[in-house]
Amino acid sequence: MTDNYQLCRLGDDAQESQKWDDFVDSIDTGTFFHLTGWKRVIESVYGHSCHYLYATLNNNIVGVLPLVEQKSLLFGHALISTPFCVYGGVASNSDDATLFLENEAIALAHKLGVDYLEMRYPFTRNNPELTEKCAHSSFGWELADTPEAILAGIKKKQRAVVRHSLKNELSFRIEEDTKTAYDVYSESVRNLGTPVFPKKYFASLKQEFGDNCDVLTVDKNQKAVSSVLSFYYKNQVLPFYGGGLFDARALKSNDFMYYQLMCHAQENKKCTYFDFGRSKDDSGAFKYKRTWGMEPVALHYQFHLVKAEALPNLSPNNPKYQFFIKMWQKLPVWLSRRIGPFLSKYLG
């Protein structure tokens, strides 16, 4: 069956990209992270080589597979679908087309001589050439129809935290202010010991995805304390890059932020689902998301080893990164913003 498919590679042609995106829009397995805008952002901001493959049958697209090549002396050489994203792998409604593109990806991985191929599926696969590793889970829930119903649906203890935040004289604004989002996020991840992305990355995401991307910022006394950059796609809201400053914990401003985002997305964007993204299993973020009442759903990431002898482990919990994390937490924020992008381009 797979012999009938024709393999194609996405170039820079706008009409070809539009056909790809139209296909992603039309199928259930197509996610925001399969859209061609990610190719343009990753190429322009990070300079990585993108290998976007798609299969056609009778001149119609039947499957797409975004792949990005990352090559680093420190973190290795990988072919990933897709870095900086939660979901990836083949988007198709055909098992045969999916298998065809997976096998083409494996062949490409060997041709490029990478250490490993990684495909970030949210569901299981049955390709014997792939090895599954479930180390992350996603979280989310259906959005109720009113702010009161959304609040009532939050787990009791976390609902009390949100109610507390509503009494802290916080305000919020929704705009295109990626600079504030970056400033807050960069300080937040510095505190966690994680290198931050380049500032132009946030601006590029907004420029590329337009109305499907915005920023919600929480202020206290006209000063930003929490901020989140979110995506909107297929009636879902995806808060993707969020964080808070030192005062955020006491003010409960992150809790306030996510609640207000739920209300905004439901009322103004007609969203019916809140996708809280992925977290490393049993991490602090994992436990925090469960406090809202959301149950974890395992992400079935698939790997094919080429030169590597073992599955990769770039987790912050990896002992070999602990010294680096502790040192990074001590850096001045301005310095972390200066040197972080040289490392984060390989950590998506």
Side-chain angles (χ1 to χ4, degrees):
M1 291 290 292
T2 58
D3 294 339
N4 297 324
Y5 296 113
Q6 180 178 354
L7 179 68
C8 304
R9 294 174 181 265
L10 182 68
D12 296 326
D13 182 77
Q15 289 186 336
E16 185 184 26
S17 295
Q18 188 60 56
K19 289 180 180 179
W20 173 303
D21 287 343
D22 288 344
F23 175 77
V24 172
D25 291 344
S26 71
I27 61 172
D28 293 338
T29 55
T31 74
F32 183 77
F33 306 105
H34 286 94
L35 297 174
T36 59
W38 286 96
K39 177 178 183 289
R40 292 184 288 272
V41 170
I42 290 172
E43 287 177 337
S44 64
V45 175
Y46 296 106
H48 294 316
S49 297
C50 292
H51 307 268
Y52 272 46
L53 310 180
Y54 65 95
T56 62
L57 185 65
N58 299 324
N59 294 320
N60 295 314
I61 296 178
V62 292
V64 299
L65 174 56
L67 292 163
V68 178
E69 184 181 359
Q70 293 182 320
K71 193 172 185 178
S72 164
L73 291 175
L74 184 60
F75 301 110
H77 187 189
L79 187 62
I80 305 174
S81 178
T82 309
F84 314 104
C85 299
V86 174
Y87 312 124
V90 179
S92 175
N93 281 341
S94 164
D95 288 338
D96 287 335
T98 298
L99 181 61
F100 171 77
L101 284 170
E102 286 175 346
N103 291 337
E104 291 294 340
I106 290 170
L108 177 61
H110 283 270
K111 181 180 179 180
L112 295 173
V114 299
D115 296 325
Y116 62 92
L117 165 71
E118 174 185 351
M119 291 191 281
R120 298 179 175 178
Y121 282 114
F123 46 79
T124 57
R125 287 293 300 133
N126 57 359
N127 188 333
E129 296 298 319
L130 300 174
T131 300
E132 182 173 284
K133 180 181 179 181
C134 296
H136 295 85
S137 296
S138 64
F139 293 81
W141 61 11
E142 300 292 332
L143 288 172
D145 294 336
T146 66
E148 294 77 15
I150 290 173
L151 183 60
I154 300 171
K155 199 172 181 178
K156 184 177 181 180
K157 186 175 180 180
Q158 179 61 24
R159 184 166 68 245
V161 174
V162 174
R163 290 189 186 279
H164 184 179
S165 75
L166 295 172
K167 299 176 182 178
N168 286 339
E169 298 182 348
L170 300 171
S171 61
F172 71 95
R173 47 194 163 98
I174 298 169
E175 54 195 2
E176 302 179 4
D177 186 8
T178 59
K179 180 183 182 302
T180 296
Y182 177 83
D183 289 344
V184 173
Y185 180 78
S186 61
E187 184 167 339
S188 177
V189 296
R190 188 287 309 266
N191 295 340
L192 295 173
T194 303
V196 72
F197 304 117
K199 182 182 294 187
K200 65 179 180 179
Y201 176 51
F202 279 32
S204 294
L205 288 170
K206 175 58 187 174
Q207 181 179 5
E208 178 62 46
F209 295 114
D211 291 340
N212 291 329
C213 174
D214 67 21
V215 173
L216 187 153
T217 298
V218 178
D219 294 315
K220 174 68 174 180
N221 297 328
Q222 299 183 324
K223 177 186 176 183
V225 287
S226 294
S227 190
V228 60
L229 182 148
S230 303
F231 303 126
Y232 302 87
Y233 187 65
K234 292 185 175 179
N235 300 118
Q236 298 184 13
V237 56
L238 301 89
F240 210 63
Y241 294 116
L245 302 183
F246 178 78
D247 292 338
R249 181 181 293 273
L251 291 170
K252 317 296 183 189
S253 57
N254 284 359
D255 310 280
F256 179 86
M257 173 177 72
Y258 290 123
Y259 170 65
Q260 296 295 354
L261 178 62
M262 292 177 192
C263 297
H264 163 71
Q266 187 280 324
E267 181 177 358
N268 299 298
K269 295 287 190 175
K270 308 307 177 187
C271 291
T272 57
Y273 191 81
F274 183 83
D275 185 338
F276 217 170
R278 75 170 186 176
S279 292
K280 181 76 175 176
D281 289 352
D282 296 322
S283 65
F286 178 99
K287 295 172 183 176
Y288 172 72
K289 292 174 183 180
R290 292 201 73 170
T291 66
W292 288 79
M294 304 175 192
E295 289 301 317
V297 177
L299 295 175
H300 300 270
Y301 289 2
Q302 305 289 323
F303 294 83
H304 177 84
L305 302 184
V306 180
K307 290 185 175 180
E309 297 180 355
L311 294 176
N313 182 11
L314 298 180
S315 167
N317 296 329
N318 188 333
K320 75 177 185 178
Y321 297 131
Q322 289 304 305
F323 175 77
F324 173 83
I325 290 172
K326 291 177 181 178
M327 292 299 295
W328 198 268
Q329 290 171 325
K330 298 178 181 179
L331 290 178
V333 174
W334 69 266
L335 183 58
S336 71
R337 291 172 180 166
R338 183 73 59 86
I339 62 179
F342 294 101
L343 297 172
S344 64
K345 66 183 294 184
Y346 304 111
L347 295 175

